[in-house]
DNA sequence: ATGAAAGCGCTAACAT
DNA sequence: ATGTTAGCGCTTTCAT
């Protein structure tokens, strides 16, 4: 049978109120009583009933804070949708959300947002802005006040967040290599475009790609790794130059950066369909490129799921005391071609 | 503010019991009172609180029946996992499951299982066995008794099920064609293997494949559509024969049927890695084939999600009165290569 | 430090 | 036909 607080109380010879205090780490219980109750809880394998808890919370709903870049950033749209799905499921369980949209270039804003939310008494925070010392300090500040934080999409490493939910960048590079290996002949030449190799996140995909090629016996040759700094002009100029220099180019892997620039260069060189192109994410230039048959594949790591899971993990942690299964939760890697859209 | 039954009762000048009767279509309410209450419900945009409902149901938990092929069938493992995830989420909301594993070749067993579950008083049924007249009659029988049925993985067309959750077979054929078009040269020759062209389900993938080729300007030639009848021997013999007859073959699309047979024929002909091979699902022979680099791609339509969504749709229907968004709910189509496993 | 009791929104058994 | 009331399991306030 399901074991309830009432049952625990009876066995321990105390009232339900006391059991509740113990279960929720509230003060005012003699240590020996607390221990006795805890041992009974463990023995009987007590698990709180979510519905009952939720109902009791209706008076004072739990609030979760969400700190992320502004609405305009298209990439985050899918993530927001996923958050919305989870929020819908959790609505009746007494959960409310509090959004803070902050500039993803300025750590100050993000750090301040976290502190504000903690002061405001939120029960947990989802965070995705950037990895920075200031942010790390804020996360630890929250952690000290027992406010759990889940980072999503981009991690803040070495911080006291309970979990990161996002993509496995190295793996997406490996998959890109796998695709290139299947669509290009042996000895074909490829270009890799990334943002800035100083950033760990940007390097990961490139490293994954190279490892993927190596595991296939390095049948393809990487001519050059272009740093486009996520800017259209830099990317365009360098790609243009590289295409001029290598008329026998086989393919381009757009690991990070401006996909529009890549598409435009290919059009300018009238190489539509002649080069194999692999990029990431389902953002509009990628979708257009796929439809125009300029891009062959785009690799996606389920951003909707990232949003959904982050909130769900936070909820399960706060409400059911569940620890995340692992510190890193990677969403599945999927390959899209125009037919699969 | 959240509007509750109490509020409705006050506005209608009746008791909460009466409102509850109306809301749950139970008899014993004067028509005019019922109408008055319903109009207030609509006006105030009343939505029942799931947590409260769930709590009240703890005494007599809702039971959902699940009718599917036996545990041994590997393909269904992922679906069962998905059902498990949903069940876990719904456990505290007062939901229990009642499984009936039946032979997927015999409609009698499936039809009987449905009737038994209805008699036993389940609140909804998930069904996946086969499309048959006997089954259809049982589904309609359940529907008449207000027991909603969701079919999953394989539909029972023209029946009174509230929704089908599964793959879009035509689309998976289209995607297969898209892949072949990307990995093969123009004018390459391909074979298609299916189970039995008499079955609508088996035909769909083949038709999708042909349409996909057509939309690319028919650059590839389909030499033959082999019917393997899902048997190893038939598939092996015909493929073996076709490979002998066509030394210049470019690729094989295993739309339906025994993947192991295909892999073995390729090994026998020492064509590992020389033919491009696309198949479906993440079952063990496909995974092995991918790892051995004999199969290039396998197309998957998220069976885990099929299980999860079927139960969730049923629950939302029964518990929150939600209608499925559409009669067919297709899960996403994904492409796997060994690197993405 | 602990117990008792009210209440979260809904259902269902029992009264009228 | 309709009203009343006792739970469902947990939290929280108010007594003690």
């Amino acid at each position: 049978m399901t074991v309830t607080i009432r049952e625990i109380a009876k066995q321990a010879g105390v009232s339900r109120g006391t059991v509740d205090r113990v279960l929720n780490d509230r003060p005012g219980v003699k240590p020996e009583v607390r221990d006795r109750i805890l041992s009974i809880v463990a023995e009987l394998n007590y698990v709180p009933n979510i519905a009952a808890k939720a109902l009791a919370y209706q008076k004072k709903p739990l609030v979760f804070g969400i700190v992320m870049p502004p609405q305009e950033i298209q990439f985050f749209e899918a993530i927001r949708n996923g958050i919305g799905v989870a929020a819908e499921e959790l609505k009746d369980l007494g959960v409310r959300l509090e959004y803070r949209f902050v500039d993803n270039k300025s750590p100050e804003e993000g750090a301040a947002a976290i502190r504000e939310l903690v002061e405001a008494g939120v029960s947990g925070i989802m965070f995705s802005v950037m990895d920075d010392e200031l942010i790390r300090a804020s996360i630890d500040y929250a952690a000290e006040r027992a406010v759990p934080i889940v980072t999503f999409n981009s991690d803040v490493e070495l911080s006291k967040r309970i979990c990161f939910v996002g993509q496995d960048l190295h793996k997406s590079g490996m998959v890109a290599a796998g695709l290139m290996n299947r669509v290009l002949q042996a000895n074909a030449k490829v270009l890799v475009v990334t943002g800035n190799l100083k950033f760990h996140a940007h390097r990961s995909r490139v490293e994954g790609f190279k490892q993927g090629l190596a595991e296939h016996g390095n049948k393809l040759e990487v001519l050059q790794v272009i740093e486009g700094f996520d800017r259209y002009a830099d990317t365009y100029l360098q790609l243009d130059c590289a295409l001029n220099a290598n008329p026998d180019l086989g393919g381009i892997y757009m690991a990070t950066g401006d996909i529009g620039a890549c598409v435009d260069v290919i059009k300018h060189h009238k190489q539509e369909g002649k080069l194999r192109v692999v990029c990431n994410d389902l953002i509009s230039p990628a979708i257009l490129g796929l439809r125009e048959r300029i891009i062959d594949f785009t690799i996606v790591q389920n951003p909707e799921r990232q949003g959904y899971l982050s909130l769900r993990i936070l909820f399960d942690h706060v409400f059911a005391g569940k620890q995340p299964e692992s510190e890193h939760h990677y969403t599945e890697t999927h390959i899209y071609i125009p037919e699969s859209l």
Side-chain angles (χ1 to χ4, degrees), chain A:
Chain A
M1 265 312 296
T2 54
V3 24
T4 71
I5 271 192
R6 183 175 237 116
E7 178 67 17
I8 309 268
K10 200 164 69 181
Q11 300 231 2
V14 297
S15 76
R16 317 188 264 148
T18 304
V19 176
D20 187 64
R21 280 175 201 113
V22 173
L23 255 24
N24 293 289
D25 284 320
R26 271 175 295 141
V29 180
K30 237 190 306 188
E32 58 240 52
V33 177
R34 157 166 266 117
D35 290 347
R36 181 152 43 95
I37 291 178
L38 283 177
S39 77
I40 295 179
V41 162
E43 189 190 341
L44 266 50
N45 217 331
Y46 167 78
V47 185
N49 182 296
I50 299 285
K53 238 177 140 147
L55 192 56
Y57 270 112
Q58 296 279 125
K59 299 179 192 178
K60 194 166 62 73
L62 287 186
V63 180
F64 290 113
I66 302 185
V67 183
M68 63 159 87
Q71 313 255 16
E72 303 81 67
I73 313 270
Q74 197 213 347
F75 176 77
F76 278 89
E77 194 181 311
I79 296 188
R80 273 201 307 280
N81 289 341
I83 297 176
V85 172
E88 183 62 29
E89 281 180 16
L90 301 178
K91 197 185 52 192
D92 274 352
L93 301 183
V95 169
R96 272 196 27 236
L97 301 183
E98 178 82 30
Y99 282 91
R100 288 278 190 285
F101 296 108
V102 306
D103 181 358
N104 50 347
K105 299 284 190 302
S106 109
E108 288 81 6
E109 276 191 48
I114 291 177
R115 282 170 201 260
E116 272 172 45
L117 289 167
V118 172
E119 305 309 335
V122 299
S123 304
I125 298 175
M126 282 175 61
F127 182 86
S128 182
V129 178
M130 65 184 296
D131 190 344
D132 180 271
E133 204 41 61
L134 222 51
I135 301 282
R136 203 175 341 271
S138 278
I139 290 182
D140 294 351
Y141 169 85
E144 278 159 27
R145 277 150 194 78
V147 177
I149 296 197
V150 170
T151 54
F152 62 103
N153 193 253
S154 95
D155 197 10
V156 181
E157 289 176 37
L158 301 175
S159 69
K160 295 211 176 79
R161 47 131 179 79
I162 62 166
C163 172
F164 163 68
V165 180
Q167 0 184 7
D168 183 338
L169 297 158
H170 186 267
K171 180 169 173 179
S172 71
M174 293 270 293
V175 170
L179 290 170
M180 283 296 190
N181 270 309
R182 278 168 188 71
V183 294
L184 289 175
Q185 312 294 324
N187 305 316
K189 292 167 181 168
V190 296
L191 288 173
V192 176
V193 179
T194 183
N196 185 336
L197 287 173
K198 281 206 201 100
F199 294 162
H200 170 73
H202 291 192
R203 251 189 354 252
S204 293
R205 279 197 183 136
V206 178
E207 285 166 1
F209 187 73
K210 288 186 171 167
Q211 185 183 331
L213 294 186
E215 289 185 5
H216 261 263
N218 281 318
K219 290 184 304 195
L220 306 183
E221 181 190 351
V222 175
L223 285 177
Q224 193 186 344
V225 176
I226 293 174
E227 286 181 278
F229 303 108
D230 280 350
R231 286 189 291 257
Y232 181 94
D234 292 68
T235 308
Y236 189 100
L237 282 175
Q238 293 188 74
L239 269 179
D240 184 44
C241 180
L243 259 69
N244 281 327
N246 301 284
D248 58 342
L249 186 67
I252 302 175
Y253 170 40
M254 286 294 301
T256 314
D258 196 305
I259 294 172
C262 175
V263 167
D264 289 349
V265 171
I266 291 173
K267 283 181 180 167
H268 179 240
H269 284 257
K270 304 249 190 305
Q271 292 291 303
E272 295 97 330
K274 299 196 180 126
L275 291 172
R276 303 278 71 102
V277 181
V278 178
C279 68
N280 287 282
D281 301 329
L282 270 178
I283 51 183
S284 22
I287 294 172
L288 284 173
L290 281 173
R291 294 239 161 88
E292 295 182 296
R293 308 233 183 273
I294 292 173
I295 294 171
D296 291 275
F297 300 99
T298 186
I299 299 167
V300 176
Q301 286 181 330
N302 225 329
E304 170 154 347
R305 198 100 193 114
Q306 287 174 30
Y308 176 87
L309 279 175
S310 303
L311 186 50
R312 197 80 217 189
I313 286 174
L314 214 45
F315 172 81
D316 288 344
H317 181 78
V318 172
F319 225 68
K322 263 191 216 152
Q323 292 306 318
E325 299 196 1
S326 132
E327 197 191 337
H328 297 269
H329 194 112
Y330 296 120
T331 48
E332 278 191 76
T333 306
H334 291 133
I335 300 164
Y336 284 83
I337 60 178
E339 288 83 353
S340 54
L341 285 178

